[in-house]
């Protein structure tokens, strides 16, 4: 669904720290820290993962999954306008 490096990159694009992401997602700071420490796909409660993805997307980040259409292969993030 999302990797730790994707989360860090998405936060960087938004210019927010872990504490801000935690607040936007309605999660604890240690939960965000654990998620971002994952070297690969973040494992955790689906509800928590969904909240993080929704918070990042609301900020304008588009998460790109493996094999998804993009100019390059692999995973990444793309900044788009915030959701209306």
């Amino acid at each position: 669904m999302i990797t730790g490096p994707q989360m860090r990159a998405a936060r960087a694009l938004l210019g927010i720290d872990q504490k801000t992401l935690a607040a936007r997602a309605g999660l604890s700071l240690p939960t965000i820290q654990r998620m971002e420490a994952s070297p690969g796909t973040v494992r955790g409660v689906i509800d928590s993962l969904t909240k993080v993805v929704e918070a990042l997307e609301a900020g304008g980040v588009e998460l790109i999954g493996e094999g998804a259409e993009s100019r390059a292969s692999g995973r990444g993030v793309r900044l788009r306008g915030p959701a209306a």
Side-chain angles (χ1 to χ4, degrees), residues 26-71:
L27 300 170
S28 70
L29 177 58
T31 296
I32 298 297
Q33 291 170 332
R34 278 192 303 275
M35 289 176 157
E36 286 193 2
S38 300
T41 302
V42 174
R43 300 196 190 284
V45 178
I46 296 296
D47 184 56
S48 296
L49 293 170
T50 301
K51 287 179 179 181
V52 168
V53 170
E54 289 174 351
L56 294 171
E57 288 178 345
V61 169
E62 180 179 350
L63 297 163
I64 305 167
E66 185 69 38
E69 185 177 326
S70 68
R71 292 181 180 230

Side-chain angles (χ1 to χ4, degrees), residues 3-16:
T3 67
Q6 275 183 301
M7 284 182 64
R8 291 190 300 275
R11 272 194 315 99
L13 285 173
L14 295 175
I16 61 173

